[in-house]
């Protein structure tokens, strides 16, 4: 089976900059602000040694790119994947600036990770890699400066290790004031009820808003899901609650299809017992990866990596809406082809913003010494997602443009305003 790659023809940073430039042209962005926003503020690359279980030492490469902090501390996930490099970190950090701004949060954008395949390491090796990476980043992260969170292949457990390592470097008196250096922690370690499901939940709220806008409903709609990790799995749980039918899934191990429907809980159970992979699931048929996006369905939810819908497969797509759970899953050329065919694209910086919104709630909870309930979290999250969708529709109508460009315009305008009011130091 041919594995899909994160970066195909277009680099991820090239993709995000095409999106940015399109919006900047249309909104007539202030030229000085445009220069500032066209490049990340800071790019950190660390090489750090870790002792492996067999006693040998390996040197790992970690990244943290801090794109912009005009609206508040840098915020964004850490990814463990072989495709993590400076281009990916730059692109993902840039998307975070637009995502947090669009959501109306007091944050900027950052992103990073380590270039590894975590499946090749034991749990104790992953703990040492995570702790040493945190140590290497030092005060380049911090609860009021840059706040990481989980992303591809990073877990709540790893977030707890990051918090513990960071806090251990502080004096006894200061230690407990730093728990909000990272979000996405397990609930027992200062995490937020519902942070685990927040991104998937948000994707489904976005789809419900789309359905309302198009005078339809999710009930009975068929959909396919690329990625069955945190975002994909939780999206499938809430899609099922809304009566939608999962007919195809693809993960790093392959693709499966069953037009009668795949039960998310049953598949999740199978995956948990199969080293985290869906391959060979008995209640669906295997499918070549290159046929996946062409499956008959109403909705596509990409929830894996970037640059997955490209010129190579866009013409096979039959769905009428794409809800971008992943960051940057559709490259600009595929995006334009889909729009010309009247396929709705719910853009990533809105569609998957449930995660960072819940991370903000966790940060507030830690900062204020509060404990929020799951109901409170999901209700507040839903309200915020609805507000953002309305903003996108208004901006799309004002500028007569597509939803992605409209979302970028909204997000960029907030940052532009901050620069224009504050001016440039000195
Ligand atoms: P995860 O590690 O929990 O799951 C990733 C999934 O993608 C797994 O099922 C994996 O098998 C699959 N995958 C990996 N490589 C693949 C390939 N080549 N082809 C098909 N599938 C592949 O990660 P996640 O946290 O669910 O993140 C998924 C996407 O959502 C990423 O783009 C991430 O940046 C974005 N995102 C995540 C969050 C969050 O809160 N976790 C928030 C916003 C956006």
């Amino acid at each position: 089976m041919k594995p899909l790659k994160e970066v195909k023809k277009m680099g991820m940073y090239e993709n995000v900059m095409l999106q940015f430039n399109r919006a900047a042209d249309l909104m007539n962005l202030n030229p000085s602000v445009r220069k500032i926003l066209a490049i990340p503020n800071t790019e950190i690359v660390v090489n750090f040694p870790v002792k492996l279980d067999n006693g040998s030492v390996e040197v790992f490469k970690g990244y943290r790119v801090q794109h912009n902090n005009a609206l508040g501390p840098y915020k964004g996930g850490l990814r463990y994947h072989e495709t993590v490099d400076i281009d990916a970190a730059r692109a993902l950090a840039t998307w975070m600036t637009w995502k947090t701004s669009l959501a109306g949060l007091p944050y900027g954008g950052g992103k990073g990770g380590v270039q590894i395949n975590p499946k090749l390491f034991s749990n104790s090796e992953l703990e040492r890699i995570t702790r040493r990476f945190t140590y290497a980043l030092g005060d380049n992260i911090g609860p009021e400066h840059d706040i990481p969170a989980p992303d591809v292949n990073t877990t709540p457990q790893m977030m707890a290790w990051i918090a513990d390592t960071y806090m251990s470097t502080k004096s006894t008196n200061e230690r407990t004031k730093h728990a909000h250096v990272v979000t996405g922690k397990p609930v027992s370690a200062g995490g937020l009820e519902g942070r685990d499901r927040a991104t998937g939940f948000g994707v489904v709220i976005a789809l419900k808003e789309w359905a309302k806008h198009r005078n339809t409903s999710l009930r009975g709609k068929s959909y396919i899901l690329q990625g069955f990790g945190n975002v994909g799995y939780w999206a499938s749980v809430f899609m099922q609650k809304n009566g939608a039918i999962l007919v195809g899934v693809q993960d790093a191990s392959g693709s499966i299809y069953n037009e009668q429907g795949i039960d998310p809980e049953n598949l999740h159970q199978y995956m948990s017992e199969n080293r985290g992979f869906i391959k060979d699931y008995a209640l669906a048929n295997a499918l070549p990866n290159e046929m996946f996006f062409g499956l008959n369905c109403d909705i596509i939810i990409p929830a894996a990596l970037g640059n997955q819908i490209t010129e190579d497969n866009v013409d096979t797509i039959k769905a009428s809406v794409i809800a971008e759970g992943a960051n940057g899953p559709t490259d600009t050329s595929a995006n334009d082809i889909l729009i010309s065919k009247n396929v709705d694209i719910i853009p990533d910086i809105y569609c998957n913003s449930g995660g960072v919104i819940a991370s903000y709630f966790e940060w507030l909870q830690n900062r204020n010494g509060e404990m929020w309930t799951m109901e409170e979290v999901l209700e507040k999250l839903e309200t915020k997602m609805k507000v953002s969708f309305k903003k996108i529709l208004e901006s799309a109508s004002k500028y007569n443009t597509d939803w992605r460009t409209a979302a970028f315009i909204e997000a960029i305008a907030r940052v532009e305003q901050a620069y224009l009011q504050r001016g440039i130091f000195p």
Side-chain angles (χ1 to χ4, degrees), residues 4 79 99 150-153 195 199 226-231 250-252 303-305 325-327 352:
L4 288 173
R79 177 177 290 198
K99 196 183 300 185
D151 192 74
V152 175
N153 289 331
R195 172 61 183 88
T199 311
Q226 187 195 39
F228 201 62
N230 175 277
V231 180
Q250 181 183 76
D251 76 355
L305 304 176
N327 286 305
N352 67 40

Side-chain angles (χ1 to χ4, degrees), residues 53 69 81 107 138 166 180 195 250 257 291 303 307-308 329 333 367 387:
D53 291 346
N69 62 349
H81 200 271
Y107 286 144
Y166 185 84
H180 55 301
R195 172 61 183 88
Q250 181 183 76
Y257 180 60
M291 288 175 69
N307 283 355
Q308 298 299 301
S333 13
R367 228 177 168 210
V387 170

Side-chain angles (χ1 to χ4, degrees), residues 140-155:
N140 288 303
I141 58 169
E144 305 293 330
H145 170 54
D146 183 358
I147 308 130
D151 192 74
V152 175
N153 289 331
T154 49
T155 60

Side-chain angles (χ1 to χ4, degrees), residues 45 174 235 255 322:
V45 183
E174 290 285 299
S255 307
I322 298 184

